[in-house]
Amino acid sequence: MSEIVDNIFKVVTQKNSGEVEFHQAVHEVLHSLEPIIDAYPEFRYHKILERMIEPERLISFRVPWVNDAEELQINRGFRVEMSSALGPYKGGLRFHVSVNQSIMKFLAFEQVFKNSLTGLSLGGGKGGSDFNPKGKSDLEVMRFCQSFMTELYRHIGEKTDVPAGDIGVGGREIGFMFGQYKRITNQFTGVLTGKGIEWGGSYIRPEATGYGLIYFSGNMLETRNETFEGKTCLVSGSGNVSLFTTEKLIELGAKVITLSDSNGFILDEEGIDRKKLDYVMKLKNIQRGRIAEYIEEYPKAKYFPVEHNRDSNPLWNVKADCAFPCATQNEINEIDAKNLIDNGVILVAEGANMPTNEEGVELFLDKGILYGPAKATNAGGVAVSGLEMSQNSSRLLWDRKKVDSELKNIMKRIHTLCLDNSDRYSTKGNYVDGANIAGFIRVAEAMIDQGYV
Ligand code: NDP
Ligand code: 2IT
């Protein structure tokens, strides 16, 4: 890294000691930005990088709630308001036991660039809690969400900060949090996105991240005169992003053969068809079951439990043309990346945030794999959240076709931006540098316009 960038990274590690995920996200972006920092001295003069690595505001709070056994539980809540250069802070809420300040900051940092790429008026933020929704009753989840919002409400607002879902936060949790916000403030506003369609939501928001991922990946394949027809695909996770990724892949004639959760993965060599996907959607969204149950319904498929602290994930050692990590951060390491490459993968596109570690990314880039980084490829979710905000402001509901066509256009535009910027400042077809640079320039210019804030 150049000296300037190197010094900034040193400060990041010193001031945010132990926050390894945050370091990782910043390191990757700084690496891409080197040519830009050289080409635009004004970015140095205005200390853009130094400002961007410091959240505008970081809120941490106590969330007390009572479980069904009438025991008091204490969780930690967060909201990281990273940047408001382009619009109100915007980004999801994650409820997962692993949530800590480092994970919140990495996600908020990534969100700033992602939201910039959408071309919409969206700042960047992220929040959540170390609350573990697994095995909790609906009433426990409701009590937790109400307590969480009883503190969060004072920091957010339709023109200030607009949270949405992420891991562990779907339609049910958004509903409970929206209800509590409304009750406390006496206002029915677009303060959250991912709302139910009858009370301020948008068509295609649940589908948007997965569909957007496949629209973007389709654009990537087009650069090599390829389509999804007949391609064998690996998808990890079995949540919101994974299932709508699978849905769009099936629609485009691809064959999806895996899905997973944190306990293991299923391999269905015959392919997960529409009927099987409907079964999984019901299993996950209504019964809140585990992916292992798939083989009880479809005994020809196999289930592989995956141990934690393993060297590699056997899911990524299944032979396929395309791979879509859609579960969580760092789920593909260098061994997994090597296995995918050795098995002839041609495209890897990220539904999850930062699912590939830096060594894995380097391998994909070195080997000329079509590699789509999260902040570009999964931007469809937040983009349709932005469209939900537009619909809320105008008190209109757009039809499915209109939202879907806007989503397609946004993903295509991001694809073009990535390629144009990688051509100009990096190596042709390097979507990582393209996304980081394009996302950064828009935020940096807005920051210069708005003075030292
Ligand atoms: P969901 O909660 O709906 O699903 C998450 C899935 O990933 C589950 O199958 C879960 O399994 C699995 N998973 C979560 N944590 C781990 C872990 N530590 N190890 C292995 N598997 C894990 O979340 P989403 O689908 O919404 O989110 C998935 C990814 O996509 C996240 O990285 C998120 O940040 C990203 N994303 C989400 C967007 C959205 O609109 N929802 C938008 C853009 C990105 P289990 O049930 O066992 O925990
Ligand atoms: O990571 C993400 O982009 C999300 N979880 C969606 C954020 C949003 O505001 O819709």
Side-chain angles (χ1 to χ4, degrees), residues 79 90-94 107 111 114-115 122 125-126 162-167 193-194 205 209 351-353 378-386 389:
R79 187 70 184 164
K90 181 85 195 87
L93 296 171
R94 176 177 291 191
L107 288 164
Q111 198 80 43
K114 182 195 307 193
N115 294 5
L122 301 169
K126 200 83 187 190
V162 183
D166 193 79
I167 292 177
T193 59
R205 177 62 191 89
T209 312
N353 284 305
N378 76 26
V382 75
V384 174
S385 277
M389 290 162 72

Side-chain angles (χ1 to χ4, degrees), residues 44 123 126 224 234 262 332 346 417:
R44 278 168 64 191
K126 200 83 187 190
R224 299 198 182 165
L234 309 178
S262 49
I332 297 184
I346 60 164
L417 265 179

Side-chain angles (χ1 to χ4, degrees), residues 94-96 98 106-107 111 114 126 134 164-170 205-206 208-210 236-243 260-264 284-285 289-290 308 310 313 325-329 331 350-355 374 378-382 385:
R94 176 177 291 191
F95 292 168
H96 193 268
S98 64
F106 114 67
L107 288 164
Q111 198 80 43
K114 182 195 307 193
K126 200 83 187 190
K134 280 196 198 105
D166 193 79
I167 292 177
V169 178
R205 177 62 191 89
T209 312
S236 67
S238 47
N240 170 275
V241 179
S242 319
L243 298 184
S260 71
D261 59 27
S262 49
N263 299 113
K284 297 304 281 190
N285 298 330
R290 308 299 298 159
H308 292 274
R310 60 193 181 262
N313 184 342
C326 295
T328 195
Q329 63 274 359
E331 55 173 310
E350 300 180 334
N353 284 305
M354 205 168 76
N378 76 26
V382 75
S385 277

